[in-house]
Amino acid sequence: MCIKFNWGQQTMKFKVCDKYLAVLLTLFLLLNLAACGKKSENTEEKEKAKINVVALKGPTALGSVKLWEDSENGDTEAIYNISVVGDPSEAVAKIANKDADVAMVPTNMASVLYNKTSKNVNIAAINTLGVLYLVTNDKSISSIRDLAGKTVFVSGQGATPDFVLRYILKKNGLTPGKDVTLEYKSEHSELAAQVISENVSIAVLPEPFVSQVLTKNSKIMVLLDLTNEWNKITDDSVLTMGSIVVRKDFLKNKKEDFDKFLKSYQKSVEYVNENTEKAAELADKFGIMQKEIAIKALPKCNVVFISGNEMQQKTENFLKILYDFEPKSIGGKIPDEDFYYKE
């Protein structure tokens, strides 16, 4: 018997006995199945969704470090290209220009983005609560009211720490610019360095810069936790400092992939809060903060994952306070209902 096999563009001709026919056919089928399986695996790998994520350096990015490591190791259902930036405006620009699909930014900046991009973003989760502290080497200060006649330095005029401080001062009967002088530095790192060198006596800083300052100068102390001060003057609001936002046009074809991202991110947050030392190593590895500082700062960074109705309620209350105090702090307008992401 003469058998012909077509293999690619070649025809292979064999003369075989009937008793070997079954063996040859079986071998041929196995080879084809192996080739098809390999092709299927390669296709699956090529079809893995890619999500470009931008994260603001500091507590806002901390919850993502395990997710980042898993993505590098190929242990996630999508490929997450995560980049870290040092300034909120850089993250805003990446979303506005569609260079990023997802961003981890201050909550008020999420609202700014919503207004700036013609409502093309959703806020999907709160990922950081209050991280602001008043630090000083002035032992005469023991309360907010003791700041009368003092100069307080803040990083980022018009940023969340600035608005939070001014709101707390006002609610305690102090007028910013009149009773308390406010001075500004452009970046947290610059202000932290000035506090360490004692060129600045009183400052509002977020973690991990507070831990950095305390580590390098034992004369500096944490005077007040501004989260506690905020809670004293508000009944139904918490400091929702950081959030996750996503472009709506990205969601049109990638909603399922984004939902998987959120689930993976939530697991990453749980890991970070349960494994301080390992999370600190990852924070160092990915350029978010140095390991020794992260170990001290992480327990005070209030890394969370809050989504759904709870996220909406907390965010709405926080944004309303900021809007009533200074509309431009949230982009000039309180976001509509469609600002909030629903799975």
Side-chain angles (χ1 to χ4, degrees):
M1 180 181 294
C2 186
I3 306 294
K4 291 184 179 180
F5 292 100
N6 290 321
W7 192 274
Q9 296 180 346
Q10 297 181 355
T11 299
M12 304 178 72
K13 190 173 181 181
F14 296 91
K15 188 173 183 180
V16 297
C17 298
D18 289 339
K19 66 180 182 178
Y20 295 121
L21 179 59
V23 175
L24 287 171
L25 286 173
T26 301
L27 179 60
F28 177 75
L29 288 171
L30 288 173
L31 288 171
N32 271 281
L33 285 172
C36 289
K38 186 175 181 180
K39 182 178 179 181
S40 176
E41 290 175 3
N42 290 338
T43 302
E44 183 180 348
E45 183 69 25
K46 289 178 182 178
E47 291 178 353
K48 250 191 175 184
K50 292 183 180 180
I51 300 179
N52 296 318
V53 183
V54 58
L56 182 63
K57 189 175 184 179
T60 311
L62 269 177
S64 66
V65 294
K66 186 63 170 71
L67 173 67
W68 196 339
E69 181 188 47
D70 289 344
S71 181
E72 275 197 349
N73 294 335
D75 295 332
T76 50
E77 294 186 71
I79 299 170
Y80 302 123
N81 299 318
I82 306 176
S83 60
V84 177
V85 297
D87 188 281
S89 62
E90 296 179 70
V92 168
K94 282 182 176 291
I95 286 287
N97 297 332
K98 301 185 179 182
D99 294 325
D101 309 309
V102 178
M104 301 169 199
V105 294
T107 307
N108 70 307
M109 295 305 296
S111 178
V112 170
L113 267 170
Y114 176 81
N115 289 309
K116 183 177 180 179
T117 62
S118 301
K119 304 182 180 182
N120 189 36
V121 297
N122 280 137
I123 182 170
I126 296 167
N127 70 356
T128 320
L129 297 178
V131 295
L132 295 174
Y133 299 85
L134 190 75
V135 298
T136 184
N137 60 2
D138 187 342
K139 295 182 180 179
S140 69
I141 303 172
S142 60
S143 69
I144 289 292
R145 290 182 176 85
D146 291 336
L147 294 174
K150 305 286 187 179
T151 298
V152 180
F153 283 77
V154 188
S155 47
Q157 186 171 10
T160 304
D162 180 25
F163 289 118
V164 168
L165 174 63
R166 287 198 278 138
Y167 184 76
I168 291 173
L169 290 173
K170 185 177 179 181
K171 287 295 184 178
N172 280 273
L174 299 173
T175 302
K178 180 181 178 182
D179 300 316
V180 181
T181 300
L182 300 183
E183 296 285 347
Y184 298 94
K185 297 293 181 181
S186 59
E187 294 183 3
H188 300 316
S189 57
E190 179 188 7
L191 180 54
Q194 292 290 302
V195 174
I196 291 168
S197 65
E198 298 188 54
N199 290 326
V200 166
S201 178
I202 310 168
V204 171
L205 281 171
E207 285 289 3
F209 297 96
V210 174
S211 293
Q212 178 184 342
V213 166
L214 298 181
T215 299
K216 295 188 176 181
N217 188 333
S218 59
K219 295 179 183 179
I220 309 299
M221 58 183 176
V222 173
L223 177 66
L224 296 169
D225 179 344
L226 293 193
T227 299
N228 292 337
E229 297 302 317
W230 180 274
N231 292 340
K232 290 177 185 178
I233 57 176
T234 59
D235 295 326
D236 57 356
S237 175
V238 295
L239 281 177
T240 56
M241 299 290 294
S243 65
I244 298 174
V245 299
V246 57
R247 292 193 351 255
K248 289 182 181 178
D249 55 353
F250 169 79
L251 285 174
K252 287 180 181 178
N253 299 314
K254 299 287 185 178
K255 185 180 186 303
E256 184 178 348
D257 294 318
F258 180 67
D259 288 342
K260 291 177 181 177
F261 165 83
L262 288 179
K263 287 181 172 60
S264 296
Y265 184 90
Q266 184 175 9
K267 291 179 181 178
S268 181
V269 167
E270 292 168 359
Y271 178 90
V272 165
N273 285 325
E274 293 170 3
N275 299 275
T276 299
E277 188 164 346
K278 180 59 179 175
E281 291 176 4
L282 293 175
D284 196 334
K285 174 183 176 181
F286 297 127
I288 296 170
M289 62 183 74
Q290 294 179 342
K291 177 184 175 180
E292 60 271 20
I293 299 299
I295 288 175
K296 295 179 179 180
L298 221 164
K300 296 178 285 184
C301 282
N302 285 320
V303 176
V304 297
F305 181 86
I306 302 172
S307 60
N309 292 332
E310 184 182 359
M311 175 267 296
Q312 180 171 344
Q313 180 184 4
K314 291 184 185 310
T315 302
E316 282 178 335
N317 292 343
F318 180 62
L319 293 180
K320 187 177 186 306
I321 287 176
L322 289 183
Y323 176 81
D324 290 342
F325 186 68
E326 178 57 78
K328 69 179 182 182
S329 68
I330 65 167
K333 184 180 178 182
I334 294 177
D336 299 325
E337 177 75 17
D338 68 346
F339 176 52
Y340 300 96
Y341 180 73
K342 309 293 183 182
E343 289 191 46

